Amino acid sequence: DLGHTGVRYRRLYLSEGVFLGGTDTAHKLDDYEEGSFNVTFTGSSSGSFTFTGGGQYTKIGRICTLAVSIQNVTFGSYAGNLQFGLPFTSASGNVYFGGDSYYYPQANWDNVTNFIGFTPKTPESSSIGTFQLKTLEGNRQAVLTNSNTNTSGQGGLYTRFSLTYATN
């Protein structure tokens, strides 16, 4: 036991971390970080565009949570799958999906008649995230590309999403 019920500690400084719920390395909490990052979107074949300060992250141990909010921007031209940069590489053997996001282009989507948004995804062992199209029927299988959207070069786009994933 540490302390007394009537006495509270204001600060605790530990130089090597703290073990929560066990004594093995899997229970060691030795990393906490938070900050902002520039959200860079790229096409898997070509093209990129960066939104300064569009993302915030909190990393506790191996778990990283992102919050991205980009408003009223113009997407540059890209080819291939629409991807976004992660602040930390994702862990191997794990694939994570974030909360559904709604994406508001100025114009209609080219080849998706029942589009309502997308779901961000982190492939395993990657520093790049991707998006899965979301339709009214709940389909999240199609990867968001420049061939099934007309977002390339579009302006007035809004997107917000969060994503939690394990890092290495």
Side-chain angles (χ1 to χ4, degrees), residues 49-127:
F49 31 100
T50 299
F51 305 108
T52 304
Q56 302 289 322
Y57 70 87
T58 301
K59 183 175 179 283
I60 302 172
R62 293 183 57 221
I63 302 301
C64 182
T65 299
L66 307 180
V68 175
S69 179
I70 300 170
Q71 301 177 13
N72 199 24
V73 297
T74 299
F75 272 63
S77 296
Y78 68 94
N81 300 339
L82 181 60
Q83 306 172 138
F84 62 97
L86 300 171
F88 303 96
T89 300
S90 62
S92 61
N94 296 299
V95 177
Y96 293 90
F97 288 87
D100 293 335
S101 178
Y102 296 89
Y103 197 56
Y104 304 101
Q106 283 182 331
N108 294 326
W109 291 75
D110 289 339
N111 300 321
V112 182
T113 58
N114 55 357
F115 172 79
I116 59 171
F118 62 84
T119 302
K121 173 185 173 184
T122 58
E124 65 176 305
S125 302
S126 180
S127 61

Side-chain angles (χ1 to χ4, degrees), residues 36-40 50-55 85:
S36 61
F37 67 102
N38 295 333
V39 180
T40 299
T50 299
F51 305 108
T52 304

